[in-house]
Amino acid sequence: MICSAFILINGVLRLSHLAAMLLFALLVSVVLACLTQRARPGGVKYALWSFALFVLVGVGVAWLMYPISR
Amino acid sequence: MNDVPGNEAAFGETPVNQTANNQDSGRQAVPHDTLAEETPTGQAPAVHAIASSHSFAARAGRAALALFAALAAWLVPGLGHLLLGRWGRALLFFVAVGGLVVTGYLLRGNVFAPHSGDPFGTLGFVADAGTGVFYYFSRFFEAAGPDVSRAAGDYGTRFIAAAGVVNVLAVLDAIEIATGRRS
């Protein structure tokens, strides 16, 4: 589902909401881990934790907003 | 020499009681040949002048390096860290910031112009300008221009702004490394 959401048509990226959120969470988590942690094991752990929190909070907020979405 | 009970020091270390005795007498431990010319602070004038000029030169060098690294890190994400020898971190910053910006452009996100005449537009420009040279690549990637009528275009706007903010954090990190505050 996520892979099929990455489609480039005439220079415009077609990205599903979930795929956009996952990509954003991944890239920002990597940078935050790189900025705050100097040791490699701690950095990887921080990046994974940050990514999980991004996704969990994003899905949680989306779930809370679902009743007022339409 | 070290016959005071409980004052056994390892090789090369100063015994605790010896340091205490020097502090009690109000004088730092300096070689005897400089004692005749010492200043009230306990250092010879020539030694003090050389040390302070060296520290001033070192601080000026670090400040110049920090400025250069900051400018490089802002212009090309990761370049500042590359110049400081942190090539792994440089690669990560370049891939992450570049990935965010290019994705934002491909989603047809809005790129704010310098003179929008609107406070939010100005804030958006400040965030977008943080991406350095990537800001000027918008015309290359967004030939059709932004389209925020769709959710994807709105996401793209956030991707580009987030990339700029993240790169500003990377610039601050490069400054701290250059000044020796971080490793």
Side-chain angles (χ1 to χ4, degrees):
Chain A
M1 183 183 74
I2 294 169
C3 291
S4 64
F6 285 94
I7 302 170
L8 196 63
I9 304 169
N10 295 330
V12 178
L13 189 64
R14 301 287 176 199
L15 209 60
S16 73
H17 299 270
L18 180 66
M21 186 188 71
L22 290 177
L23 184 64
F24 184 89
L26 176 71
L27 293 174
V28 175
S29 298
V30 167
V31 173
L32 289 181
C34 202
L35 285 170
T36 55
Q37 305 290 317
R38 290 319 199 202
R40 184 163 293 187
V44 172
K45 193 177 169 186
Y46 187 96
L48 289 173
W49 183 238
S50 172
F51 177 75
L53 281 180
F54 263 118
V55 173
L56 283 176
V57 171
V59 170
V61 170
W63 183 75
L64 285 175
M65 290 173 67
Y66 181 73
I68 58 168
S69 64
R70 57 189 77 192
Chain B
M1 289 290 287
N2 190 13
D3 52 356
V4 181
N7 192 27
E8 294 82 9
F11 180 75
E13 292 180 353
T14 307
V16 177
N17 290 344
Q18 188 178 333
T19 308
N21 288 338
N22 285 337
Q23 288 172 346
D24 289 343
S25 62
R27 181 193 296 170
Q28 292 180 356
V30 289
H32 285 290
D33 54 351
T34 59
L35 288 177
E37 304 168 359
E38 70 182 4
T39 60
T41 59
Q43 280 187 315
V47 173
H48 184 70
I50 291 170
S52 61
S53 68
H54 279 188
S55 65
F56 177 76
R59 270 183 287 159
R62 279 185 182 274
L65 180 66
L67 187 66
F68 185 62
L71 195 64
W74 170 67
L75 274 175
V76 181
L79 184 60
H81 288 83
L82 188 69
L83 292 173
L84 295 169
R86 271 70 170 183
W87 60 269
R89 217 168 291 168
L91 184 67
L92 276 177
F93 283 136
F94 184 79
V95 169
V97 175
L100 282 169
V101 175
V102 172
T103 306
Y105 289 156
L106 293 178
L107 288 170
R108 297 183 70 184
N110 190 19
V111 182
F112 291 94
H115 307 291
S116 61
D118 160 30
F120 288 107
T122 305
L123 275 177
F125 166 71
V126 170
D128 290 355
T131 57
V133 291
F134 280 109
Y135 181 78
Y136 296 99
F137 290 167
S138 60
R139 288 175 192 155
F140 174 73
F141 285 105
E142 279 192 297
D147 178 17
V148 290
S149 62
R150 298 173 302 111
D154 212 18
Y155 290 165
T157 307
R158 309 293 169 246
F159 269 70
I160 300 164
V165 173
V166 156
N167 195 38
V168 169
L169 292 176
V171 168
L172 295 176
D173 188 58
I175 291 172
E176 289 201 326
I177 292 171
T179 52
R181 289 189 202 134
R182 295 193 81 180
S183 59

